[in-house]
Amino acid sequence: MCVLGGTGFLGVHVVEAARSVGFHAVVLARGARDLGADERALDALDLDALDLDALEQALGHFAPCAVVNCAALARIADCDRDPERANALNADVPAFLARASAERGFRLVHVSTDLVFGARAAPSAGFCESDEPAPTSVYGATKLAGERAVLHANPNALVIRLPLLCGDSRGRSLGASDSVIAAVSRDERPRLFIDEWRTPLDVLDAARAIVALIGAEVAGVLHVAGPERMTRYELGLRALRSVGHTRPEKLVDAVGRAGDHAQRPADVALDAARARMRIRMLLRAPFVAFATQPAP
C-alpha cells in the first residue's frame, strides 16, 4: 500500500499503524527519505503530490493494493492566501487518485475533514454522514470538492472525515495539543477558542481506524471522530495538564471567533456512530483523565 502525505502529522502514524498489521507501507511525500526510510526496501519515495506525472509513475511502479491520501493544504490561512494551490492539493489530486483507483483496482481511502460543515447549525448529536455539508472557508470548500470528485470518479472509494486531531507529533509541534504545549514551553500565550466546538481525536486512534477500514466493505463517506464535544480551549487545558501544568488556564488566552476568526465555524461536531459499528474499536476522548468542569 502507499500513503500519500506519509510524512505529515497524520501520515506518519498511518504508516506505522499499517506496518504494525503487516502492510508493506510505502511513503509518498516530499522529503520522505529524510525520515530514514530504507531505499533498498522501497519504503519511501520523495514525491510532490502536485506532480501528477510522478504520482502516476509511482502508482505504476509500486502497484499498491491500497492508497491512503493524507496529503492536503490544511491550514485555513494558507488556503486563504493561495486558493489555487488549495484547490489543486485538496480537490485535483484526490480526483486524480480516484480515477487511477477505478482504472487500476486499488482501494482508495481519502482523508477529509469536519470543516466541510459549519455554515449550518449542528444537530445535538453532531453531524452524521447524510447531513448536507456547508463549509465556511476556502479550506472546507476545497476539501468538499475533493470528496465529491473522489466519489464521482470511484463510488467504491472511502472518504473518511476526521475531526480536530491531537496527540504525539514526534517533536514537531503539530496538531491541536503539541502546538499548545510547545507554545507554552516557549513562554508564549496560545490563543484558544472558547466558542468553536469539535469532537477531537488522538491522531494514533485516527490512524488505527483508517488502517482498519482499508479492508472493510464500506464505501462513500464515513465519520471517524471522538465521542466528546469540546472547545479548543478545553482541549488545550487538558493537554497542558497532561504534561504537568496544574493551572493551565493561567498560561493561555481564552478568545472568541469574532473579528479575524469570524469565518471559523461555531460547531462541526461529528457523529461517528457508523464508524464505531464498522470497526468495533475504541475512539477515545483525548486526555480524558485530565478533564475538569466545563470551561467558562
Side-chain angles (χ1 to χ4, degrees):
M1 65 171 286
C2 293
V3 181
L4 186 62
T7 58
F9 176 42
L10 172 63
V12 294
H13 290 280
V14 172
V15 170
E16 290 183 359
R19 289 174 178 168
S20 73
V21 296
F23 281 108
H24 176 202
V26 177
V27 176
L28 304 179
R30 280 185 171 179
R33 293 194 177 108
D34 293 338
L35 294 185
D38 185 350
E39 295 178 30
R40 293 169 299 175
L42 298 177
D43 284 338
L45 179 65
D46 190 347
L47 180 146
D48 183 347
L50 291 176
D51 187 342
L52 299 186
D53 289 337
L55 186 52
E56 174 71 28
Q57 291 175 13
L59 295 174
H61 176 76
F62 293 112
C65 63
V67 172
V68 177
N69 180 30
C70 299
L73 191 64
R75 291 187 176 91
I76 289 178
D78 291 344
C79 292
D80 288 342
R81 280 191 293 267
D82 195 345
E84 184 174 346
R85 181 176 176 83
N87 192 71
L89 269 169
N90 297 343
D92 294 345
V93 170
F96 171 83
L97 290 172
R99 292 191 296 270
S101 67
E103 294 167 0
R104 296 176 179 272
F106 61 80
R107 170 73 154 162
L108 175 61
V109 178
H110 171 63
V111 175
S112 191
T113 174
D114 56 0
L115 292 176
V116 298
F117 296 108
R120 298 190 182 96
S124 58
F127 289 104
C128 66
E129 291 83 352
S130 60
D131 288 321
E132 184 66 24
T136 63
S137 64
V138 172
Y139 172 60
T142 55
K143 290 297 286 185
L144 178 58
E147 290 185 6
R148 289 172 171 168
V150 164
L151 296 177
H152 176 75
N154 185 357
N156 293 318
L158 176 61
V159 172
I160 296 179
R161 288 180 183 147
L162 293 179
L164 185 67
L165 296 180
C166 58
D168 184 9
S169 67
R170 307 300 166 83
R172 294 186 288 173
S173 303
L174 301 175
S177 55
D178 274 10
S179 59
V180 172
I181 293 168
V184 168
S185 73
R186 296 190 298 266
D187 293 323
E188 298 172 4
R189 290 185 65 86
R191 301 174 75 243
L192 303 178
F193 297 117
I194 60 173
D195 57 355
E196 178 186 318
W197 296 88
R198 312 287 285 271
T199 39
L201 184 66
D202 189 282
V203 66
L204 181 58
D205 285 352
R208 289 172 174 167
I210 287 169
V211 172
L213 287 162
I214 290 173
E217 293 185 4
V218 57
V221 176
L222 191 67
H223 292 175
V224 173
E228 187 176 346
R229 180 176 169 271
M230 72 180 78
T231 64
R232 278 183 176 266
Y233 178 78
E234 173 58 21
L235 179 62
L237 297 188
R238 290 187 184 191
L240 290 169
R241 292 187 197 107
S242 76
V243 294
H245 294 288
T246 57
R247 298 291 301 277
E249 65 277 3
K250 301 295 185 181
L251 305 174
V252 303
D253 290 329
V255 300
R257 295 176 296 109
D260 293 342
H261 303 293
Q263 70 167 329
R264 299 193 69 91
D267 192 341
V268 290
L270 297 179
D271 180 347
R274 286 186 60 226
R276 291 188 184 92
M277 291 177 61
R278 284 284 183 179
I279 57 179
R280 299 189 182 281
M281 67 174 285
L282 195 61
L283 298 175
R284 301 166 292 182
F287 306 110
V288 67
F290 300 94
T292 60
Q293 296 300 312

